[in-house]
Amino acid sequence: MRRAALVGNPNVGKSTIFNALTGMRQHTGNWPGVTVSCTYGYFYVCPESSVSGCRESDRQDFMIVDLPGIYSFDIRSEEEAVTRNYILKKEYEFLLLVCDATCLERGLHLLRQATALIEDRPDDTIPQIILCVNLCDEAEKKGIRIDFEGLEKALSIPVIPCCARERRGLSALKETLLRLSGACSSCALEDRPEGDSHEYQKYPPDFSPAGLAAGSVSYTRADYRRREEALDRLLTGSFTGTFFMLLLLTGVFWLTITGANYPSSMLWELFFRLETVLAAAAQSLSFPSWLTEASIFGVYRVVAWIVSVMLPPMAIFFPLFTLLEDLGYLPRAAFNMDGAFHRCHACGKQCLTMAMGLGCNAAGVTGCRIIDSPRERLIAILTNSLVPCNGRFPLIITMISLCALGTSVIPSAVSGVVTALILTGMISFSVLMTLAASWFLSRTVLKGVPSSFTLELPPYRKPQIGKVLVRSVFDRTLFVLGRAIAVAAPAGLLIWILANISIDGQSLLLWISGALDPLGKLMGLDGIILMAFLLGFPANEIVLPVILMAYLETGYLVDMEDKMALFTLLSAHGWTVKTFICTAVFSLFHWPCSTTCLTIKKESGSLRWTAAAMLLPTVIGMFFCILIEQIFRII
């Protein structure tokens, strides 16, 4: 088996080439820093001439590693250290250096540095360098032409033009690997000029990146960047950048809110129709009543509730978020926020991880790996849960709607738009609190000077709709949903036990809520609401159902889709506009869910920092709830 290393600048399509060769689904995105660790894969190559099958003598197996994207081999970040260490010390036969056809000179600079590195290796371990010029389709659209034949002759190494997204040029890359590995003497390289002997050197002779790029690249359109520059002026301007960022956020929330209602209702009817069937089956099999109630009305109902409430918004939000990523907007949002985070002595990349947290805080915490500085990475981890995840949206949206219903100030015809605007305002407030908490941490327990980093604004690209749907559904939606179900099932059993075991005629649920009632009153809530948040630790979607279960004393979760009936019930138990506001605020700021806490423990390696990550948003939420309670007392 031959070994190959894949290296290149960020955002040049390395992971796309890796996926195309190996058939894996390594995450790709139109922004730098997607690959933050080494990923290994395997593939084999057969000669193009083997129509009837691949002979064992001609077939060659390969192991390939996708290294983190770097701008230079001069170590300034963890990614550069990992990649440099691999290039210098590991054993491999081929170095596939990927560069961007729209910015060839930058790739040639990295090629020259890589050449200087491998020249220091022992002669018998020097790999064969292959230059893979990717994104040729984008270069063609921009009127950029590259003389690949002249480039190959000047470098004396294989130069393969390709477009990995459309799988163009990959067969030529495979044939090159097969021929150079010596596994197939009959193989001929595709699309090569006649008379070329293809006697390559292992690495290129000395060359000037700027001079070689100038001699190999020609432009047929002088204004090829005019449209991108105009868009960038709008999306990254001092005022317009913030305006469009809020506008896009509002649009995403509005689509998520309005689009999730119908599929959520369908899933609800499907799952609870199945519940009736399961209950009847258990009764016909003479199951003990306590077992039927615990397993079906306890575990199954909680899981069904979470799936029906959580799946539709995620199935809408994640594809929309991935579309913005594929378009190349996320780095521009980070650019807009970089100055604010820098003033807080934090890293501008924290904006990207914060945006990931809107979908799932656990994913946002994992994404903090793209931040090089351990201090700044820890700040990003500790503050990620200050931005609410997709699981908190249903309760926040419901509280906004009920508050509007109680005040009767919002016409029903525009309630969806107004709800989206208020939700955007609350998310913006959570961003401000993220900045404030980052500033506080950077001046107390995590003191330090903000580090510099290189942020590339990638080109605007047409999203790959099919891949966006697959990646957002399988890599994000179902992954997050699976983890939520795993912790929701035991939570369902616990909730049933607490609701059905009584002491002196009162359920454990009411005993706990009674103990929490003084603190709840101080925060503008009550003990039942606080208890529901505690029991919602596995998944935030069950907070409101637990509240209703406790008020109605049913012993199991109940639904109330009619908002007016829900408003009437809550009002009868002492809820006012103040209660709706405080519940929404505490939903915005409280401890992260169990999945996120486990992720924080894994990423930080510390129970102490995990406890701090839980305490920080909780203290902020309690402070604002107490403040709102006191304001209402005064007025």
Side-chain angles (χ1 to χ4, degrees), residues 45 153 318 552 590:
V45 182
K153 287 181 178 179
F318 279 137
L552 297 173
H590 71 282

Side-chain angles (χ1 to χ4, degrees), residues 17 78 208 259 294 313 382 444 499 550:
I17 292 175
E78 184 178 345
S208 165
L382 295 179
T444 52

Side-chain angles (χ1 to χ4, degrees), residues 289-475:
S289 59
W290 65 267
L291 180 60
T292 301
E293 290 184 6
S295 58
I296 296 176
F297 300 126
V299 175
Y300 174 83
R301 180 168 288 192
V302 169
V303 171
W305 193 300
I306 287 175
V307 173
S308 60
V309 172
M310 190 175 182
L311 181 58
M314 282 200 305
I316 296 172
F317 180 85
F318 279 137
L320 292 174
F321 182 84
T322 310
L323 279 173
L324 291 178
E325 177 185 321
D326 235 29
L327 280 166
Y329 178 72
L330 290 188
R332 288 161 173 88
F335 177 84
N336 293 333
M337 295 294 298
D338 177 58
F341 279 106
H342 189 80
R343 285 190 289 273
C344 296
H345 284 210
C347 180
K349 288 183 181 179
Q350 189 173 335
C351 176
L352 295 174
T353 64
M354 185 176 62
M356 294 178 196
L358 284 172
C360 172
N361 289 134
V365 169
T366 303
C368 293
R369 296 175 187 174
I370 66 175
I371 299 175
D372 305 321
S373 165
R375 181 189 71 86
E376 293 170 348
R377 188 186 311 126
L378 188 54
I379 290 176
I381 289 173
L382 295 179
T383 59
N384 191 267
S385 297
L386 291 174
V387 173
C389 68
N390 189 74
R392 300 190 212 176
F393 288 165
L395 179 58
I396 296 174
I397 292 168
T398 301
M399 292 301 104
I400 294 172
S401 301
L402 293 178
C403 187
L405 195 63
T407 55
S408 303
V409 295
I410 302 175
S412 58
V414 294
S415 60
V417 176
V418 174
T419 301
L421 286 171
I422 296 175
L423 182 58
T424 302
M426 294 185 70
I427 302 302
S428 300
F429 181 61
S430 71
V431 171
L432 290 176
M433 291 311 304
T434 300
L435 291 168
S438 299
W439 179 89
F440 174 78
L441 291 171
S442 67
R443 281 162 174 76
T444 52
V445 293
L446 293 171
K447 289 183 179 180
V449 178
S451 61
S452 61
F453 74 99
T454 302
L455 177 64
E456 177 188 1
L457 296 183
Y460 296 97
R461 290 174 181 154
K462 182 180 178 181
Q464 303 175 85
I465 303 298
K467 288 186 178 180
V468 163
L469 292 175
V470 170
R471 193 165 77 230
S472 58
V473 171
F474 289 97
D475 294 354

Side-chain angles (χ1 to χ4, degrees), residues 8-186:
N9 296 137
N11 207 50
V12 295
K14 287 189 304 83
S15 297
T16 305
I17 292 175
F18 177 86
N19 291 341
L21 291 174
T22 63
M24 295 174 65
R25 290 193 293 118
Q26 170 78 344
H27 176 58
T28 62
N30 188 18
W31 51 283
V34 174
T35 304
V36 293
S37 60
C38 299
T39 306
Y40 294 84
Y42 300 88
F43 68 98
Y44 67 86
V45 182
C46 292
E48 292 288 330
S49 56
S50 358
V51 179
S52 59
C54 186
R55 295 181 302 176
E56 192 69 28
S57 58
D58 286 344
R59 166 177 163 166
Q60 179 63 59
D61 295 316
F62 289 90
M63 186 274 286
I64 186 169
V65 57
D66 183 15
L67 297 169
I70 59 172
Y71 292 104
S72 170
F73 281 102
D74 298 327
I75 297 178
R76 296 173 299 173
S77 67
E78 184 178 345
E79 289 94 338
E80 288 167 353
V82 168
T83 302
R84 181 186 174 92
N85 181 67
Y86 193 96
I87 297 301
L88 273 175
K89 300 179 180 179
K90 301 297 182 180
E91 294 184 7
Y92 54 97
E93 287 81 27
F94 298 97
L95 178 63
L96 306 183
L97 196 145
V98 184
C99 67
D100 184 349
T102 66
C103 190
L104 183 63
E105 183 179 342
R106 190 175 63 183
L108 293 177
H109 276 288
L110 194 66
L111 173 63
R112 186 172 182 178
Q113 286 187 320
T115 303
L117 278 180
I118 66 171
E119 283 179 334
D120 294 334
R121 295 173 63 104
D123 290 342
D124 58 342
T125 65
I126 292 179
Q128 170 69 61
I129 297 182
I130 299 174
L131 181 64
C132 183
V133 184
N134 193 28
L135 305 174
C136 289
D137 57 332
E138 291 187 10
E140 291 170 7
K141 291 176 183 177
K142 294 177 179 180
I144 301 174
R145 294 180 180 176
I146 300 175
D147 179 8
F148 291 106
E149 181 182 343
L151 186 62
E152 183 171 273
K153 287 181 178 179
L155 293 172
S156 297
I157 61 170
V159 177
I160 312 295
C162 71
C163 173
R165 281 165 55 131
E166 299 176 5
R167 296 181 175 268
R168 284 166 36 197
L170 294 180
S171 58
L173 176 59
K174 290 181 178 180
E175 285 288 315
T176 302
L177 287 169
L178 189 61
R179 182 178 184 273
L180 293 174
S181 66
C184 176
S185 58
S186 62

